[in-house]
Amino acid sequence: SDLQYAPRIHIFLVESYGRLRELVGAYAAGASEPGEHIVSYVLGHPEALTHELNHEVVTGLWGRSEPWIAEGLAAYVTDPAKVDRQFRGVLDSGKAIPLGRMVNPKWTASTYPSTVIYPELGSFVKYLRDTFGMVRLREVWRGGSAAIRRVFGKSLEDLERDWRAATGRE
């Protein structure tokens, strides 16, 4: 590949959610600042480290993206084997969110509970990668939600229907 990641990443391990909140202003198990090459996470949560390192490295390689695809890719790579099952649980609970509410340039991750958005966006991004490949996924990463129809040849609504059918829940 012609892509190389060169920056030194500064990783901060903290003892609690409260301490992370003091440092970054968010109550979470991890946080990243790709522009500063800083990743912070709460000890005992290696999944948060994986998630935040994904933000750091992919942003470093591909550039900034809309939040929905950044969160979706990070959620997917954190646990690829479980993300579809986790999403089916979200669907079964009745808490799934129509993709149109998240797949847009104005959406932010703090809008909805992380227990919903990470499995949902992670499963959707996994479907896009598995169905269309990483090259096309990178095109949408760079072009945002406005590039979806051009890159995938389908509307977001059609992709959502196909993805839900592929996960076993229409």
mmCIF file of all heavy atoms in Angstrom, residues 46-63:
data_model
loop_
_atom_site.group_PDB
_atom_site.id
_atom_site.type_symbol
_atom_site.label_atom_id
_atom_site.label_comp_id
_atom_site.label_asym_id
_atom_site.label_seq_id
_atom_site.Cartn_x
_atom_site.Cartn_y
_atom_site.Cartn_z
ATOM 1 N N PRO A 46 -9.446 -2.646 27.225
ATOM 2 C CA PRO A 46 -8.626 -2.715 26.008
ATOM 3 C C PRO A 46 -9.430 -2.470 24.734
ATOM 4 O O PRO A 46 -8.884 -2.008 23.735
ATOM 5 C CB PRO A 46 -8.046 -4.129 26.045
ATOM 6 C CG PRO A 46 -8.968 -4.902 26.943
ATOM 7 C CD PRO A 46 -9.491 -3.920 27.941
ATOM 8 N N GLU A 47 -10.745 -2.757 24.764
ATOM 9 C CA GLU A 47 -11.573 -2.482 23.593
ATOM 10 C C GLU A 47 -11.611 -0.988 23.300
ATOM 11 O O GLU A 47 -11.652 -0.570 22.123
ATOM 12 C CB GLU A 47 -12.994 -3.042 23.776
ATOM 13 C CG GLU A 47 -13.878 -2.278 24.747
ATOM 14 C CD GLU A 47 -13.560 -2.431 26.237
ATOM 15 O OE1 GLU A 47 -12.721 -3.271 26.619
ATOM 16 O OE2 GLU A 47 -14.168 -1.685 27.030
ATOM 17 N N ALA A 48 -11.558 -0.156 24.326
ATOM 18 C CA ALA A 48 -11.532 1.297 24.131
ATOM 19 C C ALA A 48 -10.211 1.720 23.487
ATOM 20 O O ALA A 48 -10.192 2.605 22.629
ATOM 21 C CB ALA A 48 -11.743 2.025 25.451
ATOM 22 N N LEU A 49 -9.121 1.092 23.877
ATOM 23 C CA LEU A 49 -7.824 1.404 23.270
ATOM 24 C C LEU A 49 -7.854 1.052 21.780
ATOM 25 O O LEU A 49 -7.424 1.847 20.940
ATOM 26 C CB LEU A 49 -6.694 0.662 23.982
ATOM 27 C CG LEU A 49 -5.298 0.892 23.417
ATOM 28 C CD1 LEU A 49 -4.901 2.356 23.472
ATOM 29 C CD2 LEU A 49 -4.284 0.029 24.174
ATOM 30 N N THR A 50 -8.372 -0.119 21.441
ATOM 31 C CA THR A 50 -8.478 -0.521 20.032
ATOM 32 C C THR A 50 -9.310 0.487 19.258
ATOM 33 O O THR A 50 -8.925 0.926 18.164
ATOM 34 C CB THR A 50 -9.109 -1.925 19.923
ATOM 35 O OG1 THR A 50 -8.311 -2.849 20.654
ATOM 36 C CG2 THR A 50 -9.231 -2.371 18.483
ATOM 37 N N HIS A 51 -10.460 0.859 19.794
ATOM 38 C CA HIS A 51 -11.370 1.797 19.161
ATOM 39 C C HIS A 51 -10.680 3.151 18.910
ATOM 40 O O HIS A 51 -10.715 3.682 17.791
ATOM 41 C CB HIS A 51 -12.601 1.975 20.066
ATOM 42 C CG HIS A 51 -13.667 2.848 19.522
ATOM 43 N ND1 HIS A 51 -14.820 2.342 18.967
ATOM 44 C CD2 HIS A 51 -13.786 4.199 19.459
ATOM 45 C CE1 HIS A 51 -15.598 3.345 18.587
ATOM 46 N NE2 HIS A 51 -14.988 4.489 18.877
ATOM 47 N N GLU A 52 -10.048 3.683 19.931
ATOM 48 C CA GLU A 52 -9.425 5.006 19.814
ATOM 49 C C GLU A 52 -8.185 4.984 18.924
ATOM 50 O O GLU A 52 -7.932 5.941 18.186
ATOM 51 C CB GLU A 52 -9.102 5.566 21.200
ATOM 52 C CG GLU A 52 -10.305 5.727 22.111
ATOM 53 C CD GLU A 52 -11.459 6.525 21.530
ATOM 54 O OE1 GLU A 52 -11.243 7.372 20.637
ATOM 55 O OE2 GLU A 52 -12.604 6.303 21.984
ATOM 56 N N LEU A 53 -7.413 3.905 18.974
ATOM 57 C CA LEU A 53 -6.269 3.796 18.062
ATOM 58 C C LEU A 53 -6.733 3.737 16.612
ATOM 59 O O LEU A 53 -6.066 4.272 15.720
ATOM 60 C CB LEU A 53 -5.412 2.575 18.401
ATOM 61 C CG LEU A 53 -4.493 2.736 19.595
ATOM 62 C CD1 LEU A 53 -3.872 1.394 19.974
ATOM 63 C CD2 LEU A 53 -3.407 3.772 19.318
ATOM 64 N N ASN A 54 -7.890 3.106 16.370
ATOM 65 C CA ASN A 54 -8.435 3.098 15.015
ATOM 66 C C ASN A 54 -8.714 4.526 14.554
ATOM 67 O O ASN A 54 -8.367 4.894 13.432
ATOM 68 C CB ASN A 54 -9.700 2.250 14.945
ATOM 69 C CG ASN A 54 -10.265 2.231 13.552
ATOM 70 O OD1 ASN A 54 -11.117 3.050 13.213
ATOM 71 N ND2 ASN A 54 -9.775 1.324 12.732
ATOM 72 N N HIS A 55 -9.336 5.331 15.411
ATOM 73 C CA HIS A 55 -9.573 6.731 15.041
ATOM 74 C C HIS A 55 -8.263 7.420 14.680
ATOM 75 O O HIS A 55 -8.170 8.107 13.663
ATOM 76 C CB HIS A 55 -10.209 7.494 16.203
ATOM 77 C CG HIS A 55 -11.644 7.193 16.446
ATOM 78 N ND1 HIS A 55 -12.598 7.133 15.453
ATOM 79 C CD2 HIS A 55 -12.309 6.968 17.607
ATOM 80 C CE1 HIS A 55 -13.780 6.873 15.991
ATOM 81 N NE2 HIS A 55 -13.630 6.753 17.296
ATOM 82 N N GLU A 56 -7.268 7.245 15.514
ATOM 83 C CA GLU A 56 -5.976 7.898 15.303
ATOM 84 C C GLU A 56 -5.327 7.478 13.992
ATOM 85 O O GLU A 56 -4.963 8.316 13.172
ATOM 86 C CB GLU A 56 -5.041 7.562 16.472
ATOM 87 C CG GLU A 56 -3.591 7.901 16.255
ATOM 88 C CD GLU A 56 -3.299 9.383 16.156
ATOM 89 O OE1 GLU A 56 -3.999 10.198 16.785
ATOM 90 O OE2 GLU A 56 -2.344 9.752 15.433
ATOM 91 N N VAL A 57 -5.192 6.177 13.778
ATOM 92 C CA VAL A 57 -4.434 5.692 12.630
ATOM 93 C C VAL A 57 -5.207 5.906 11.319
ATOM 94 O O VAL A 57 -4.639 6.386 10.330
ATOM 95 C CB VAL A 57 -4.031 4.215 12.817
ATOM 96 C CG1 VAL A 57 -3.386 3.657 11.566
ATOM 97 C CG2 VAL A 57 -3.086 4.090 14.018
ATOM 98 N N VAL A 58 -6.484 5.572 11.291
ATOM 99 C CA VAL A 58 -7.237 5.720 10.035
ATOM 100 C C VAL A 58 -7.356 7.194 9.657
ATOM 101 O O VAL A 58 -7.215 7.546 8.486
ATOM 102 C CB VAL A 58 -8.608 5.016 10.098
ATOM 103 C CG1 VAL A 58 -9.399 5.244 8.825
ATOM 104 C CG2 VAL A 58 -8.409 3.523 10.319
ATOM 105 N N THR A 59 -7.568 8.061 10.621
ATOM 106 C CA THR A 59 -7.603 9.493 10.310
ATOM 107 C C THR A 59 -6.242 9.943 9.793
ATOM 108 O O THR A 59 -6.161 10.733 8.845
ATOM 109 C CB THR A 59 -8.014 10.317 11.549
ATOM 110 O OG1 THR A 59 -9.322 9.903 11.945
ATOM 111 C CG2 THR A 59 -8.020 11.809 11.255
ATOM 112 N N GLY A 60 -5.174 9.425 10.373
ATOM 113 C CA GLY A 60 -3.833 9.748 9.896
ATOM 114 C C GLY A 60 -3.570 9.280 8.479
ATOM 115 O O GLY A 60 -2.860 9.942 7.714
ATOM 116 N N LEU A 61 -4.149 8.142 8.102
ATOM 117 C CA LEU A 61 -3.938 7.588 6.761
ATOM 118 C C LEU A 61 -4.910 8.149 5.716
ATOM 119 O O LEU A 61 -4.518 8.414 4.588
ATOM 120 C CB LEU A 61 -4.072 6.063 6.797
ATOM 121 C CG LEU A 61 -3.006 5.308 7.578
ATOM 122 C CD1 LEU A 61 -3.368 3.832 7.664
ATOM 123 C CD2 LEU A 61 -1.638 5.492 6.944
ATOM 124 N N TRP A 62 -6.177 8.298 6.096
ATOM 125 C CA TRP A 62 -7.215 8.658 5.132
ATOM 126 C C TRP A 62 -7.702 10.089 5.247
ATOM 127 O O TRP A 62 -8.458 10.563 4.421
ATOM 128 C CB TRP A 62 -8.422 7.735 5.293
ATOM 129 C CG TRP A 62 -8.199 6.311 4.921
ATOM 130 C CD1 TRP A 62 -7.068 5.742 4.389
ATOM 131 C CD2 TRP A 62 -9.147 5.251 5.051
ATOM 132 N NE1 TRP A 62 -7.253 4.405 4.193
ATOM 133 C CE2 TRP A 62 -8.531 4.071 4.590
ATOM 134 C CE3 TRP A 62 -10.450 5.186 5.521
ATOM 135 C CZ2 TRP A 62 -9.183 2.849 4.570
ATOM 136 C CZ3 TRP A 62 -11.098 3.976 5.506
ATOM 137 C CH2 TRP A 62 -10.466 2.813 5.030
ATOM 138 N N GLY A 63 -7.356 10.787 6.321
ATOM 139 C CA GLY A 63 -7.861 12.135 6.551
ATOM 140 C C GLY A 63 -9.101 12.108 7.429
ATOM 141 O O GLY A 63 -9.583 11.055 7.829
#
